Amino acid sequence: MQKNNLGYPRIGARRELKKACERYWSGKIDREELLSVAEKLRRQNWTVQQEAGIDLVPCNDFSFYDQVLDMSLSLGAIPKRYTPVLTQNRENTELDLYFAMARGYQKDGLDITAMEMTKWFDTNYHYIVPEFYKEQEFKWFSSKITEEFTEAKKAVKKTPKPVLIGPVSYLLLGKEKEEGFHRIDLLKKLLPVYVEILSELKALGAEWIQLDEPFLSLDLTEKEKEAYKTAYEAIAKACKGINIMVATYFEEPGDNTALAVSLPVSALHIDLVRAPQQLDAILEAAPESLSLSLGVVDGRNIWKNNYEKSLDYIRKAIDAIGEERLFIAPSCSLLHTPYDLDAETGIDPEIKNWLAFAKQKLGEISDLSDILEGNEGLLEENRKAIESRRISSQIHKQEVKDRVAAISEKDTTRHVGFALRQKIQKNRFGLPLYPTTTIGSFPQTTDIRRLRARLKKGELTRAEYEARIEKATIEAIRTQEKIGLDVLVHGEFERNDMVEYFGELLEGFLFTRNGWVQSYGSRCVKPPIIYGDVSRPEDMTVRWSRFAQQHTDRIVKGMLTGPVTILQWSFVRDDQARSATTFQIALAIRDEVVALEKAGISMIQIDEPAIREGLPLRKKDWPAYLNWAIGAFRIAASGVQDETQIHTHMCYSEFNDIIEHIAAMDADVITIETSRSQMELLEAFADFKYPNEIGPGVYDIHSPRVPTVEEMVTLLRKASALLPEENIWVNPDCGLKTRKWEETEAALTNMVQAAKKIREKVEQVVS
Ligand code: 39S
Ligand code: ZN
């Protein structure tokens, strides 16, 4: 039985790639140096995988920014606006074009926007969305795929396996930028380019090629199913002698099983961690010509594999189809897990023995194979670790379980309805129409981050650190007063990240030193690990909110991360339902909300940017999820008095299909991302007659560009045409932590001006 891997993290164990990219972007290192960092990382990754005994070592899983963007460059799907980047006598390379597509290009007289970014299925990884036009053409443009194969062939003994996004998923991941066609219709034009690349890979000696087709496990239309047949028949016909492995993950093919096993390919990879129930049906349906790659090691989480369970699946498959046709693999690319557990020296050894990061997961694949060959000792050791976790007193806290069991209807409802709350709150706050605010965070400058690094290294005392954070907070308050914002925030300088910060303070959570995973481009996160029942031993944010409120006469909004987002952006328990964990977190956040209210904070924002991305990949599973996710938010938000105003914030606000659930959250104010869609996303709220207050983002914070007063007034006019005036707030799209202070001040100054202008207009109409 061969050992297969689908992909490996590429950011570097110490985020070497992140640092090198950022230095390249700021002109501190040249192209050669960046390329050499990248080459070294690839070599290290290949070596680790080879040493772990992986037979099919992936290549082309490396990326400077994102693997979907890499495909767009390989397939020549480069939007026209980037043409000037490579022409007009600029000394740019293909790499600069690539980064321009990812990040925009504001240099030497050009101002070109970046391509859009969105979440990779239900993960916290973001990809760059391919743009498609009616007259879209494709041609083999970048030779990254073949170059990396050639490079990998030199580095590993067995023939490496190039990994590409399959043609149907590539199209479905993209977006039509013009009316009048469906992107799937572009398949005919796209396929010849795939055939060209695959044929060249074969000529260079490739034996296996992995084509990722996660959409094969999602709800598909008839037309999309047809596209799968067309695509793989065309590839099979034109590329004889290449073994194609189609990889599905994050769900099961389910009603697409017959289609999946009928594709004329050599192997199908299935995710048995997310969807173990599919195994029987797949084994039953698989024709003799099809091999199966069994994804038994969790590529999305950090728990040690339960060998006994995995071996059950593997043995069942052996009995059904024989071991010659089987591969053992992780469930999906290991991109979503941190590098190396061995580098974590601060974790309680009992808990550490329950965990496995990317490197350890390679070892697990090899262990499983060894156990099948008779190494029973490995199985015994694993059994002990699994049992130690199952019964550990560090995990189970009866009082937490009891409190969740006792949650009742009244814990999920505010005392009075929104209409009455709105009156009470308008009275209390006396804000102008179109009140201005921000989403919460202010620039996390290198200086601020360095303070935290020095605190961790022991170069600063806690008192010195806090004094510096207090200074930054006061400065932020003064700046906001000067700009003239109506509702202020404290700036979140004390937070490393909006989830990790809470993970460090809550019980049942564990945090790592180097457990980085890529979130987008060079941006990484260190998701905390939820290992046990969750409780809140002490206040988490009260000190900073109270401090900020004491330094101004204006309202300071308190800032919390919501239960669903904390769940979604952490590594979660796999020994209880996600809903159970979320309710535990919701109670902890509820206690914090009440503590903030007691400390005199009158507006409290509970961010839930991840509610939408948590939606199950199959529509049939939506209602159950929405029921508990919205319920958890309401538990967190409903402990306060009527006059306390609850805000929430969401990014990526495509709400058409879940608007009634957004309304059911019953937040007094919701701020959303709408500027990039020119307020289009607001229509869902207007059509629904969404009753509560809304702050539609008036400028995009993902770009350093300072928006003009006029463009924000235009957006506000659009919003006021759609929504009742007394319900509209004025704010940016999202938090400002990734921006610089100059940009932030300039943009917010213009934003406040825009609010003034729109208010003047209203007064004229009234008088
Ligand atoms: N998921 C999570 N968890 N959090 C989010 O904010 C988001 N937002 C969306 C969706 N998913 C999310 C994605 N957006 C960053 C920004 C936006 C993101 C995601 C990540 C981000 O800025 N990440 C930082 C980065 O990649 C790391 C944040 C962090 O935890 O640079 N920083 C730590 C801190 O502030 C560690 C700082 C650090 O790097 O304490 N220290 C240096 C080191 O240890 C030393 C500092 C120096 O001397 O320069 O080497
Ligand atoms: Zn946001």
Side-chain angles (χ1 to χ4, degrees):
M1 198 174 326
Q2 294 202 65
K3 287 162 275 185
N4 178 28
N5 186 25
L6 270 58
Y8 208 65
R10 59 225 175 187
I11 201 79
R14 292 286 181 279
R15 293 182 297 160
E16 291 86 347
L17 184 63
K18 168 208 172 62
K19 289 169 193 165
C21 282
E22 289 177 357
R23 290 172 66 81
Y24 177 72
W25 296 335
S26 64
K28 290 191 190 110
I29 60 170
D30 63 13
R31 183 169 169 273
E32 301 322 308
E33 198 170 339
L34 176 59
L35 295 183
S36 102
V37 170
E39 196 190 331
K40 196 168 149 210
L41 285 170
R42 288 193 294 265
R43 198 164 1 97
Q44 283 170 354
N45 282 356
W46 288 327
T47 307
V48 171
Q49 295 177 77
Q50 172 162 283
E51 282 172 359
I54 299 295
D55 299 300
L56 293 186
V57 171
C59 62
N60 195 46
D61 55 338
F62 175 82
S63 178
F64 278 105
Y65 202 96
D66 162 52
Q67 71 270 13
V68 182
L69 180 60
D70 293 350
M71 272 327 283
S72 291
L73 207 71
S74 290
L75 300 167
I78 302 161
K80 287 211 173 59
R81 64 181 180 283
Y82 298 105
T83 310
V85 176
L86 280 195
T87 51
Q88 303 180 1
N89 296 327
R90 292 192 171 79
E91 289 183 3
N92 288 329
T93 61
E94 185 186 299
L95 186 64
D96 299 309
L97 167 66
Y98 174 81
F99 285 137
M101 291 163 75
R103 310 179 61 239
Y105 192 89
Q106 280 85 22
K107 243 188 352 206
D108 37 69
L110 293 177
D111 182 359
I112 312 176
T113 55
M115 290 171 77
E116 205 179 309
M117 185 169 79
T118 197
K119 294 263 165 161
W120 179 248
F121 301 92
D122 56 356
T123 73
N124 195 9
Y125 175 79
H126 305 63
Y127 72 93
I128 300 284
V129 181
E131 290 182 14
F132 298 129
Y133 297 85
K134 223 166 147 182
E135 301 304 320
Q136 184 70 46
E137 298 292 334
F138 299 99
K139 66 165 190 282
W140 189 5
F141 182 79
S142 158
S143 50
K144 170 181 185 275
I145 298 170
T146 44
E147 279 167 22
E148 230 172 273
F149 175 70
T150 308
E151 186 186 322
K153 252 182 94 179
K154 288 187 200 133
V156 292
K157 293 197 192 77
K158 293 184 179 160
T159 311
K161 173 191 60 172
V163 178
L164 284 69
I165 295 172
V168 181
S169 289
Y170 174 71
L171 289 175
L172 292 178
L173 285 163
K175 202 167 158 180
E176 297 86 356
K177 289 288 177 173
E178 289 170 334
E179 306 262 298
F181 74 109
H182 189 281
R183 57 199 186 283
I184 210 75
D185 299 332
L186 300 174
L187 188 65
K188 273 192 282 322
K189 285 185 178 170
L190 179 63
L191 282 174
V193 187
Y194 268 86
V195 166
E196 200 184 341
I197 297 174
L198 298 178
S199 305
E200 179 62 18
L201 283 169
K202 171 156 195 266
L204 292 169
E207 290 162 15
W208 279 97
I209 297 174
Q210 174 184 324
L211 294 179
D212 282 6
E213 289 285 6
F215 279 94
L216 204 44
S217 289
L218 269 55
D219 298 324
L220 293 176
T221 62
E222 284 310 312
K223 192 168 169 170
E224 290 160 354
K225 288 183 192 166
E226 262 327 293
Y228 269 109
K229 283 189 205 147
T230 312
Y232 285 87
E233 273 157 21
I235 288 173
K237 211 164 135 210
C239 312
K240 292 213 171 61
I242 308 181
N243 293 308
I244 301 282
M245 176 182 291
V246 164
T248 67
Y249 37 79
F250 304 155
E251 254 298 349
E252 58 169 330
D255 55 344
N256 304 323
T257 297
L259 170 67
V261 300
S262 73
L263 297 177
V265 296
S266 304
L268 177 70
H269 171 85
I270 54 173
D271 181 341
L272 289 174
V273 175
R274 191 57 88 79
Q277 72 283 358
Q278 67 180 309
L279 183 58
D280 288 337
I282 295 274
L283 290 173
E284 175 94 10
E288 253 171 58
S289 56
L290 187 70
S291 294
L292 290 178
S293 166
L294 308 176
V296 290
V297 170
D298 196 346
R300 288 281 295 275
N301 214 331
I302 43 57
W303 301 108
K304 190 171 262 185
N305 189 254
N306 182 335
Y307 288 172
E308 210 145 18
K309 209 161 132 189
S310 297
L311 289 165
D312 279 351
Y313 300 142
I314 297 168
R315 291 210 168 99
K316 185 183 237 180
I318 294 176
D319 288 347
I321 68 169
E323 59 183 289
E324 303 72 33
R325 279 167 58 202
L326 290 174
F327 298 84
I328 311 182
S331 61
C332 59
S333 166
L334 296 174
L335 173 69
H336 310 286
T337 56
Y339 261 81
D340 186 4
L341 182 64
D342 294 338
E344 297 298 329
T345 48
I347 304 181
D348 174 343
E350 184 189 354
I351 301 179
K352 195 169 170 181
N353 190 35
W354 306 335
L355 307 177
F357 291 180
K359 188 170 168 211
Q360 288 69 36
K361 284 171 190 287
L362 297 174
E364 293 183 334
I365 290 167
S366 144
D367 279 3
L368 287 167
S369 160
D370 288 353
I371 296 169
L372 285 166
E373 280 165 20
N375 189 339
E376 287 286 321
L378 290 170
L379 180 58
E380 200 38 51
E381 201 182 313
N382 179 266
R383 256 188 210 129
K384 278 190 198 140
I386 300 294
E387 183 61 7
S388 127
R389 181 173 162 215
R390 196 179 68 77
I391 59 173
S392 172
S393 61
Q394 296 211 57
I395 293 182
H396 302 284
K397 302 270 184 296
Q398 197 53 46
E399 61 285 8
V400 176
K401 295 188 206 293
D402 290 346
R403 200 172 161 210
V404 169
I407 293 172
S408 72
E409 183 72 31
K410 77 169 194 334
D411 298 317
T412 66
T413 335
R414 303 281 300 264
H415 307 130
V416 300
F418 173 72
L420 188 49
R421 294 201 310 271
Q422 188 178 32
K423 269 197 199 117
I424 298 170
Q425 292 166 11
K426 287 234 185 261
N427 228 351
R428 173 179 189 190
F429 298 123
L431 293 168
L433 272 181
Y434 297 95
T436 53
T437 190
T438 62
I439 306 303
S441 56
F442 274 118
Q444 279 273 338
T445 57
T446 315
D447 281 352
I448 295 282
R449 294 219 193 271
R450 202 162 281 154
L451 287 178
R452 221 163 3 254
R454 287 176 60 202
L455 172 71
K456 283 194 179 138
K457 282 187 209 133
E459 294 169 16
L460 273 185
T461 65
R462 167 80 26 204
E464 285 166 327
Y465 170 75
E466 297 207 344
R468 301 286 288 275
I469 298 289
E470 284 186 349
K471 190 162 163 277
T473 307
I474 294 175
E475 279 167 14
I477 293 285
R478 293 293 160 262
T479 304
Q480 293 172 84
E481 287 173 341
K482 192 181 81 197
I483 293 170
L485 288 155
D486 298 305
V487 172
L488 314 190
V489 296
H490 76 280
E492 299 176 26
F493 304 107
E494 78 287 5
R495 300 188 193 175
N496 43 8
D497 172 78
M498 56 183 286
V499 167
E500 192 183 0
Y501 178 78
F502 291 93
E504 288 178 1
L505 294 168
L506 287 167
E507 215 143 276
F509 280 74
L510 140 89
F511 51 95
T512 63
R513 293 231 167 95
N514 279 297
W516 294 102
V517 292
Q518 193 177 3
S519 179
Y520 69 87
S522 71
R523 297 288 179 180
C524 299
V525 293
K526 237 188 301 129
I529 296 170
I530 310 179
Y531 66 89
D533 289 335
V534 177
S535 58
R536 169 185 165 279
E538 58 188 351
D539 290 351
M540 302 184 285
T541 65
V542 175
R543 180 217 187 293
W544 293 107
S545 287
R546 185 197 281 130
F547 176 82
Q549 185 64 85
Q550 279 163 352
H551 283 83
T552 179
D553 296 332
R554 302 194 185 196
I555 302 163
V556 176
K557 185 165 60 161
M559 285 297 147
L560 299 171
T561 305
V564 180
T565 300
I566 293 184
L567 179 95
Q568 197 65 27
W569 293 354
S570 299
F571 288 117
V572 298
R573 291 172 68 170
D574 59 357
D575 60 347
Q576 73 180 14
R578 295 163 71 82
S579 55
T581 306
T582 313
F583 289 142
Q584 295 180 357
I585 304 169
L587 288 171
I589 298 297
R590 177 189 178 95
D591 293 348
E592 184 72 15
V593 172
V594 171
L596 281 168
E597 181 184 56
K598 273 212 185 92
I601 305 301
S602 54
M603 292 186 187
I604 299 162
Q605 179 169 314
I606 309 171
D607 281 358
E608 281 291 20
I611 279 213
R612 197 186 153 98
E613 80 193 43
L615 277 173
L617 297 172
R618 294 280 201 159
K619 268 235 158 91
K620 68 173 169 43
D621 303 321
W622 282 23
Y625 163 79
L626 285 163
N627 188 34
W628 64 254
I630 303 303
F633 178 85
R634 294 178 58 120
I635 292 167
S638 298
V640 290
Q641 303 304 311
D642 302 332
E643 66 264 28
T644 298
Q645 189 170 66
I646 298 290
H647 291 226
T648 190
H649 167 72
M650 291 187 198
C651 320
Y652 323 104
S653 312
E654 276 168 43
F655 290 137
N656 287 300
D657 43 6
I658 55 166
I659 186 73
E660 73 215 78
H661 301 278
I662 300 299
M665 291 168 76
D666 197 24
D668 297 307
V669 183
I670 182 172
T671 55
I672 58 176
E673 178 185 320
T674 39
S675 77
R676 278 188 287 191
S677 78
Q678 300 290 309
M679 297 284 155
E680 227 174 76
L681 297 172
L682 264 191
E683 282 161 21
F685 288 83
D687 294 345
F688 185 77
K689 301 208 174 5
Y690 179 83
N692 302 19
E693 299 184 11
I694 312 181
V698 293
Y699 79 87
D700 176 16
I701 60 90
H702 298 91
S703 144
R705 204 177 147 267
V706 174
T708 63
V709 177
E710 279 320 310
E711 65 190 74
M712 289 188 276
V713 169
T714 306
L715 288 181
L716 283 170
R717 286 216 183 95
K718 279 195 183 174
S720 70
L722 289 165
L723 304 168
E725 226 133 32
E726 63 280 11
N727 283 5
I728 304 178
W729 286 66
V730 179
N731 46 260
D733 259 346
C734 199
L736 295 159
K737 70 176 172 186
T738 58
R739 297 269 57 88
K740 296 199 166 63
W741 268 112
E742 308 89 84
E743 304 152 10
T744 300
E745 275 198 61
L748 291 178
T749 304
N750 286 358
M751 187 186 87
V752 168
Q753 273 320 104
K756 286 198 177 132
K757 284 225 160 125
I758 194 105
R759 281 175 206 156
E760 278 164 20
K761 210 193 106 234
V762 178
E763 276 154 23
Q764 279 164 15
V765 175
V766 174
S767 60

